[in-house]
Amino acid sequence: MTTTPATTPATTPSPAGPSPAPLTRRRFALGATALSATALGLAACGRPSARETEDLSADVGLTDSGLPVVADELTLSFGGSKSALAPEYETMELVRTWQEDSGIEITWANEPDEVWAEKKNLLLASGELPDALFNTGLTDAEVAKYGDNGTLLALEDLILEHAPTLHGILEQRPDIRSAMTTSDGHIYTLPSVEEMGLVEFPTMLFINTVWLDELGMGVPTTVEEYHEALLAFRESKGSGALPLSFIGAGAIADLIAALGGQADNPDHRIVQDGEVLFTADKDGFRDAIATLHTWYGEGLIDQEAFAQDYVTFIAKGKADPQTLGSFSFWECPEVVGPDRAEQYQIVPILPGPDGVQRACAANNQEINRGAFAITRTSQYAAATLRWADMLFDPVMSAQANWGPIGISQEMNADGMLEQIPVSGGETEQERRVKVAPGGPKIITAEDFETVVLPEPRAAERQGQIAEFYAPHRANEKYPPVMLSVEELNRISTLESDVRTLVDEKVATWIVKGGIEDEWDGYVAQLEQIGLSEVAEVYQGAYDRFTENS
């Protein structure tokens, strides 16, 4: 079953004042991380019996506890990903605060997500390694590979000795520890956790109510009404209008459910009644794609929907004159801007052919396993982990996630951090990527009651999910299972081939048609590739996880 990156918004950089004192330990609520098994040949060799370099942290005055981390000068090199809109990390106020508090200077080589995705494996295989990876972008398969061959250090003993804040959290939250631990029993990466209940429903369908009002139409409540609205947009607004736009087929799972009665998600892997199901070989999926081809032929779907990137899509939302009639995305203001956002409304979940409303849950989890890793060439692993541990203080985690106190957040009269309103036409997300670096952090459900208030847009989204999506949940997400090296070896190439076939066929069928004639051959080809074996591995891993949880 295919796995695609989570569609949640990218994290960001942030400045801050003095590092807050550690808060009292607290109880933590459930979190999990998206499972990703990309096509990678996993090395069969075992881990080296010893580290490549001696730890010299004591030589630079590693302190016993607290801040600074070191008494003498120390410079470390970090690499990894960052938002394309983020400035260089060394210019961020929060990053400068980290340097002042810790006594450690970081040389940053973080690159935009797409650049890093292409570069990371070449870098990790080269031996020219930074001391650590920050926002690693590593999939589970890559963590297994580079942990197994010794490129990434095992951190569990270092956490016990040098990361008191994180260790305390893991003692109270064994589910987070389990999500971080690979099948060989080691922890190679540190997590990013944000427990807000937002990521299961990563895309929402919006429609232009101003255009509807001009046409004397209400917000659609059925597929037929929605189709009629798109047709009316095309007729009334002319060739410059885009009745429906999105970024890739992963953004239209709810439409597939409405048109074909088949729950779907970007992975095409769902859980229903304890059974792991692949969705892109079901008749309802076929019927939905056939209908979308009809819509495409009617000029209702953006011709660039399967090829455009984020920047292109956002530009369409903010074009003048207005072009978007309806679109699917994480949130509305990010696409069309805060001034136009009030002109759009969420389309309620549309009933399928059988009259059932199906809100499709994605497999996105609230624990990202790959926020931070230390490489084998680091000479200062203990000091590096102590540096990362200061980010797990809940107040500092909140600043890493949303930006520093005094810039994007302030302490209210109740002692809770809350967002400073954005100004100058900037969205919360645009500010966030400029001031919040992300990286390792843990913000639990309890922290949202005692430490930091959700962003206004996050609180709004929680309400939207509760109203429009949660009551019509069609499936459970696949849980935070970390496949074993053996399982990954077994299916990584097969799963990649399945994903490639599905993505290519879906785009081709919607644009050019032909699904009716090609469907049986496509289903047979999936079996020839090894879909049944992939399904067997995921079902077995699911059963193992549920038995032990």
Side-chain angles (χ1 to χ4, degrees):
M1 274 139 268
T2 68
T3 303
T4 57
T7 56
T8 51
T11 53
T12 40
S14 64
S19 177
L23 299 190
T24 307
R25 301 278 187 253
R26 63 273 189 229
R27 287 198 345 254
F28 307 89
L30 180 63
T33 183
L35 178 66
S36 174
T38 59
L40 276 176
L42 298 182
C45 58
R47 287 182 53 79
S49 59
R51 283 196 48 212
E52 184 174 302
T53 56
E54 180 185 359
D55 194 317
L56 303 179
S57 297
D59 294 350
V60 291
L62 179 66
T63 58
D64 292 334
S65 62
L67 297 173
V69 172
V70 294
D72 301 328
E73 291 185 2
L74 174 61
T75 299
L76 301 173
S77 59
F78 285 8
S81 67
K82 68 183 184 72
S83 167
L85 301 178
E88 297 302 320
Y89 275 9
E90 58 266 21
T91 68
M92 296 182 183
E93 183 173 328
L94 187 58
V95 171
R96 292 196 295 265
T97 296
W98 291 344
Q99 179 176 334
E100 294 168 2
D101 289 349
S102 68
I104 297 174
E105 182 175 354
I106 307 298
T107 300
W108 296 90
N110 285 59
E111 302 183 74
D113 296 324
E114 292 183 1
V115 176
W116 176 247
E118 296 177 357
K119 181 178 178 179
K120 62 182 175 181
N121 287 308
L122 293 175
L123 175 69
L124 290 168
S126 72
E128 299 293 328
L129 301 171
D131 293 303
L133 302 180
F134 184 98
N135 295 330
T136 74
L138 295 174
T139 66
D140 286 355
E142 290 164 342
V143 172
K145 174 181 179 177
Y146 295 114
D148 184 63
N149 68 20
T151 300
L152 304 180
L153 292 187
L155 301 177
E156 59 275 3
D157 292 339
L158 284 168
I159 290 171
L160 179 63
E161 188 172 357
H162 298 291
T165 303
L166 176 59
H167 175 67
I169 293 171
L170 299 183
E171 286 292 290
Q172 299 180 57
R173 286 293 300 271
D175 59 309
I176 296 178
R177 180 184 291 276
S178 295
M180 297 163 57
T181 304
T182 59
S183 62
D184 63 6
H186 291 302
I187 294 173
Y188 298 112
T189 59
L190 303 184
S192 170
V193 180
E194 180 189 317
E195 295 182 335
M196 298 185 70
L198 304 182
V199 297
E200 280 188 296
F201 301 103
T203 57
M204 296 181 176
L205 186 63
F206 298 93
I207 195 163
N208 190 321
T209 55
V210 172
W211 288 9
L212 288 174
D213 290 343
E214 290 173 357
L215 294 163
M217 306 177 78
V219 174
T221 58
T222 66
V223 167
E224 293 75 20
E225 291 176 356
Y226 183 66
H227 182 222
E228 289 170 4
L230 298 184
L231 287 169
F233 290 166
R234 184 202 64 191
E235 293 300 322
S236 65
K237 297 299 178 180
S239 60
L242 297 171
L244 172 60
S245 189
F246 47 86
I247 305 177
I252 54 174
D254 290 329
L255 267 181
I256 288 173
L259 294 171
Q262 173 59 57
D264 188 34
N265 64 25
D267 295 340
H268 308 303
R269 180 180 5 101
I270 64 174
V271 178
Q272 288 181 324
D273 299 324
E275 184 178 3
V276 181
L277 299 173
F278 181 73
T279 60
D281 64 347
K282 302 297 185 289
D283 289 350
F285 186 88
R286 175 200 62 201
D287 296 343
I289 299 301
T291 300
L292 288 170
H293 169 61
T294 299
W295 290 13
Y296 189 91
E298 293 171 334
L300 306 184
I301 297 176
D302 184 353
Q303 294 185 2
E304 296 181 318
F306 297 99
Q308 65 188 345
D309 59 14
Y310 169 85
V311 174
T312 301
F313 177 68
I314 296 298
K316 292 174 180 177
K318 296 175 180 171
D320 190 16
Q322 199 167 6
T323 61
L324 290 185
S326 182
F327 63 91
S328 180
F329 194 68
W330 170 263
E331 67 174 6
C332 185
E334 188 172 348
V335 179
V336 300
D339 293 337
R340 283 184 181 169
E342 294 182 359
Q343 300 175 17
Y344 290 82
Q345 183 172 322
I346 292 174
V347 178
I349 293 295
L350 303 173
D354 55 0
V356 176
Q357 293 172 278
R358 294 178 175 86
C360 302
N363 294 327
N364 301 328
Q365 309 291 336
E366 292 185 313
I367 300 174
N368 169 6
R369 281 188 267 259
F372 191 83
I374 301 176
T375 71
R376 67 168 182 261
T377 59
S378 173
Q379 295 180 300
Y380 304 98
T384 303
L385 191 63
R386 277 276 305 284
W387 181 94
D389 191 55
M390 73 177 177
L391 274 63
F392 289 109
D393 173 272
V395 173
M396 186 55 75
S397 283
Q399 294 180 81
N401 206 34
W402 292 289
I405 296 171
I407 299 295
S408 58
Q409 300 186 85
E410 60 187 359
M411 198 74 71
N412 67 17
D414 297 323
M416 295 277 288
L417 287 175
E418 63 179 349
Q419 298 293 307
I420 297 172
V422 294
S423 60
E426 189 176 44
T427 68
E428 291 170 340
Q429 177 62 11
E430 287 169 342
R431 179 179 67 182
R432 181 179 181 182
V433 299
K434 296 174 185 176
V435 299
K441 56 189 176 290
I442 295 178
I443 307 153
T444 68
E446 184 173 340
D447 289 333
F448 285 110
E449 298 176 355
T450 60
V451 177
V452 58
L453 295 174
E455 291 175 288
R457 62 175 180 154
E460 180 183 12
R461 187 178 185 84
Q462 287 175 323
Q464 292 167 336
I465 288 173
E467 179 180 356
F468 293 102
Y469 290 84
H472 308 297
R473 175 191 297 273
N475 61 281
E476 296 303 317
K477 65 187 178 185
Y478 194 81
V481 181
M482 196 164 191
L483 299 185
S484 68
V485 172
E486 293 74 21
E487 288 167 333
L488 289 167
N489 273 327
R490 185 178 169 192
I491 69 167
S492 60
T493 299
L494 302 180
E495 186 173 33
S496 178
D497 290 345
V498 167
R499 177 174 59 240
T500 298
L501 178 63
V502 173
D503 289 348
E504 289 178 352
K505 287 295 187 181
V506 166
T508 298
W509 285 332
I510 291 178
V511 173
K512 297 181 179 179
I515 191 170
E516 296 87 352
D517 296 332
E518 298 178 18
W519 180 257
D520 290 343
Y522 157 79
V523 172
Q525 189 175 356
L526 286 172
E527 283 305 308
Q528 291 171 357
I529 289 173
L531 177 60
S532 293
E533 185 171 1
V534 175
E536 180 183 333
V537 167
Y538 275 112
Q539 185 69 57
Y542 173 84
D543 293 341
R544 180 178 69 237
F545 179 86
T546 54
E547 288 170 4
N548 295 328
S549 61

